[in-house]
Amino acid sequence: MLEGEFVEDEETQQLHALVGSNQERFIAVNRTPFVNLGAQSVQFNQAGLWSSHFIVRPTEGVSLKGNIVFNRDRLRVFTDNQSQFLLQDSIFMLSEKEEDTNRPTVFEGKLVGQWDISPKSTLNIITKFQKTNLIAQSNIVAMVMTS
Amino acid sequence: MNNLRDNNISWQISGDFTQRLTQNKALIINSLWVKNDNAQVLDITQNQTRQFYTPSRIDSTPTPFLSFNQSLEKPMEYLSNTAQLFYSNQKIDFTVSGSTIFRREDLRTQLRLNNEIIADSDFINNAVFEQKNMNVGINLGYNWGNKRLFFNTSGGFFDQKLTDNILTKNSLSKNGFYTLPTIGFNWKKKKNLFYDLWL
């Protein structure tokens, strides 16, 4: 079984050599990894939404509508992976820890004014404002151990 | 470690004025202004730590060996003014419109490798793209029964200008006149619809 896998890898390397590509930059372990431990956890530390709406009609012909929305989230994802490469005379272990943080912030505002100037004419003015801010961080710590 | 910061601020103000002139005529004037400021910064930093388990010392100070930073700004401004005059009776509808459009987009990017700006012009952008358009249009429709024959035509003058402040330090512009005529036929009968268009 093990020898068969090695033969298959050598064939792959020969094929790569034929097309003029070598993999010298990579660590040639000649084996596919065996993932023996992996974990992922997701945390929603913060998820908040605030909105405010109003409609006013100060006179018979004037109406004002407006709304404000404020949204702020904070999402964190933790992933742990441990891969093990069983070599002929040693064990090659790769431990990876990834931490992702997403912090989107959205602020939106809209104001609609309608003015009936006369029975035959109207004036509408619409104002929209939007501010978005996204911070996305990812941090990967990889550790290699051989024994 | 990857760090992306994206800031976007957009303003949009539009105004509509509607005036009914007579029983069959109406006038609509519309203005729209949009301003959008977008800025992105991407940082990629890679650290390498080597630990030597020797009895005398443990060296574990992180050494940054690659720091990559890209900043990007894409402000955009748009302004349009449109006036439309409508006329309709039971058989004929007629619209005359005219509008002016102005749009400006900037693109500014910068690349840093290990906190040093890459001065090569291939990695820096500082360009401005401006578009101007002035057009008029006529829509004419004739209705009889449940059939409708319509003819639209619009045309105008466009002007596009691309200014690259890094590479060529001059602008590339293109302008000209254009027309877009359209003729069509529409027939609706109970649950059936036939629609022909040629342009």
Side-chain angles (χ1 to χ4, degrees):
Chain A
M1 177 72 190
L2 292 174
E3 288 176 1
E5 286 184 356
F6 277 115
V7 168
E8 193 178 338
D9 286 331
E10 282 172 4
E11 283 177 358
T12 310
Q13 284 181 346
Q14 285 169 3
L15 285 174
H16 278 292
L18 280 177
V19 297
S21 147
N22 55 40
Q23 300 193 359
E24 289 176 357
R25 286 177 299 161
F26 301 108
I27 302 168
V29 291
N30 288 337
R31 298 296 301 272
T32 52
F34 171 64
V35 180
N36 62 355
L37 186 65
Q40 189 182 55
S41 65
V42 180
Q43 279 187 6
F44 241 117
N45 288 355
Q46 192 182 28
L49 179 97
W50 171 72
S51 68
S52 174
H53 310 257
F54 73 90
I55 299 175
V56 292
R57 199 171 175 188
T59 64
E60 187 65 28
V62 176
S63 70
L64 275 174
K65 289 189 281 185
N67 71 320
I68 289 173
V69 178
F70 182 72
N71 181 19
R72 187 184 169 92
D73 295 342
R74 182 186 161 106
L75 170 74
R76 300 181 84 190
V77 179
F78 302 93
T79 310
D80 287 347
N81 274 322
Q82 274 200 326
S83 308
Q84 205 175 51
F85 299 82
L86 301 174
L87 304 183
Q88 266 182 330
D89 54 351
S90 64
I91 296 173
F92 183 83
M93 283 182 66
L94 179 66
S95 168
E96 288 174 312
K97 290 179 189 294
E98 183 172 356
E99 184 182 327
D100 295 319
T101 308
N102 277 318
R103 286 187 288 172
T105 308
V106 179
F107 177 74
E108 278 181 347
K110 187 177 178 184
L111 184 68
V112 179
Q114 185 172 352
W115 180 26
D116 295 331
I117 302 167
S118 72
K120 289 186 175 176
S121 62
T122 58
L123 178 67
N124 294 333
I125 292 177
I126 301 169
T127 305
K128 288 181 194 169
F129 174 75
Q130 188 187 53
K131 185 178 189 307
T132 59
N133 185 5
L134 171 70
I135 296 175
Q137 289 176 328
S138 76
N139 195 3
I140 301 174
V141 177
M143 196 165 63
V144 169
M145 284 183 295
T146 54
S147 62
Chain B
M1 181 170 173
N2 301 345
N3 192 351
L4 171 70
R5 283 161 288 162
D6 186 325
N7 286 303
N8 197 1
I9 299 174
S10 92
W11 275 98
Q12 180 177 335
I13 299 174
S14 68
D16 291 304
F17 174 72
T18 309
Q19 171 81 48
R20 190 171 180 182
L21 301 168
T22 64
Q23 184 69 25
N24 297 327
K25 272 191 261 180
L27 174 71
I28 294 179
I29 296 172
N30 172 267
S31 290
L32 172 64
W33 177 74
V34 179
K35 182 136 177 57
N36 195 347
D37 285 323
N38 189 348
Q40 290 180 348
V41 177
L42 174 68
D43 294 312
I44 295 174
T45 312
Q46 289 186 348
N47 297 313
Q48 194 177 37
T49 305
R50 281 184 183 158
Q51 280 189 330
F52 300 102
Y53 292 101
T54 54
S56 59
R57 67 181 183 121
I58 296 174
D59 184 6
S60 62
T61 311
T63 314
F65 65 95
L66 180 66
S67 166
F68 178 82
N69 170 283
Q70 186 184 31
S71 62
L72 186 146
E73 289 179 52
K74 287 189 297 183
M76 190 273 281
E77 193 169 6
Y78 179 92
L79 177 67
S80 77
N81 295 292
T82 309
Q84 288 174 293
L85 182 67
F86 292 95
Y87 172 82
S88 72
N89 59 26
Q90 287 184 344
K91 285 201 166 179
I92 292 172
D93 56 79
F94 182 65
T95 307
V96 184
S97 62
S99 68
T100 61
I101 297 167
F102 171 76
R103 185 185 171 113
R104 178 192 162 119
E105 291 166 272
D106 290 30
L107 177 68
R108 296 191 285 270
T109 66
Q110 210 175 58
L111 209 60
R112 288 166 185 262
L113 190 65
N114 293 331
N115 290 326
E116 287 181 12
I117 296 176
I118 302 177
D120 192 344
S121 58
D122 287 346
F123 297 99
I124 301 175
N125 281 303
N126 189 351
V128 181
F129 184 48
E130 282 182 346
Q131 296 181 77
K132 292 172 197 157
N133 193 331
M134 285 164 278
N135 63 74
V136 290
I138 296 172
N139 301 348
L140 184 64
Y142 181 68
N143 304 299
W144 75 100
N146 43 25
K147 303 179 192 69
R148 173 177 162 80
L149 182 69
F150 58 92
F151 173 71
N152 306 333
T153 183
S154 65
F157 175 75
F158 72 92
D159 185 13
Q160 295 175 334
K161 190 169 142 190
L162 177 66
T163 309
D164 194 337
N165 295 317
I166 297 292
L167 278 177
T168 54
K169 297 189 191 301
N170 56 19
S171 59
L172 187 72
S173 66
K174 190 176 183 181
N175 53 42
F177 291 94
Y178 69 96
T179 55
L180 292 168
T182 308
I183 192 163
F185 176 70
N186 193 357
W187 183 22
K188 210 188 307 183
K189 189 173 185 183
K190 289 184 182 174
K191 292 180 179 175
N192 308 310
L193 172 71
F194 299 92
Y195 187 83
D196 294 319
L197 190 69
W198 182 73
L199 49 111

